[in-house]
Amino acid sequence: QVRLVESGGGLVQAGGSLRLSCAASGRTFNNYAVGWFRQAPGEEREFVAAIIWNGDNTHYADSVKGRFTIYIDDVNRTANLQMNSLKPEDTAVYFCAANFPGNLLNIAAMKGIEYWGQGIQVTVSS
């Protein structure tokens, strides 16, 4: 069974940092794109960042550029999102997802997504 499981969320003060992890299991994700998305209450789900599992290319939403970094830990089979300089407007449920064939623009547009995680809460207090 293919699973994406998020961890690392929680409550943090504005200006702080969190690292989210998306543990991938059940298949190889080579040539998949893995992305992070978020959804605040009453809002549409939006793209945050994406990476090709076995590549170096990344893509970020303008709102997180320079603050968030996405990277793969292939040993532990996790796609991670390092979030620095957090703002209250970053508060949301964060989801990871994967699409194939891996395409950063497609996953940013939520096209071709095969797998979603269940989501994890991130709350940034002011």
Side-chain angles (χ1 to χ4, degrees):
Q1 181 182 4
V2 177
R3 297 185 69 195
L4 298 176
V5 179
E6 300 94 340
S7 63
L11 173 65
V12 64
Q13 287 189 331
S17 298
L18 280 176
R19 186 181 68 193
L20 303 182
S21 290
C22 174
S25 62
R27 66 160 302 131
T28 177
F29 281 85
N30 286 348
N31 300 316
Y32 273 75
V34 178
W36 284 94
F37 299 80
R38 65 188 182 187
Q39 188 166 17
E43 302 289 333
E44 298 282 323
R45 191 170 297 188
E46 65 175 7
F47 167 73
V48 176
I51 189 168
I52 302 298
W53 187 274
N54 53 326
D56 296 326
N57 289 344
T58 57
H59 182 45
Y60 294 92
D62 287 344
S63 59
V64 306
K65 279 181 183 176
R67 300 188 298 122
F68 291 10
T69 303
I70 188 170
Y71 63 97
I72 298 294
D73 179 347
D74 208 30
V75 172
N76 294 303
R77 292 175 56 82
T78 58
N80 303 289
L81 186 68
Q82 178 66 42
M83 306 186 294
N84 298 329
S85 303
L86 282 161
K87 306 174 181 179
E89 52 263 43
D90 294 318
T91 295
V93 177
Y94 282 70
F95 301 85
C96 65
N99 85 345
F100 183 85
N103 182 290
L104 296 177
L105 296 182
N106 281 348
I107 197 170
M110 297 190 213
K111 294 180 181 178
I113 291 180
E114 292 189 22
Y115 308 109
W116 284 97
Q118 81 286 353
I120 193 163
Q121 179 69 44
V122 170
T123 303
V124 184
S125 63
S126 56

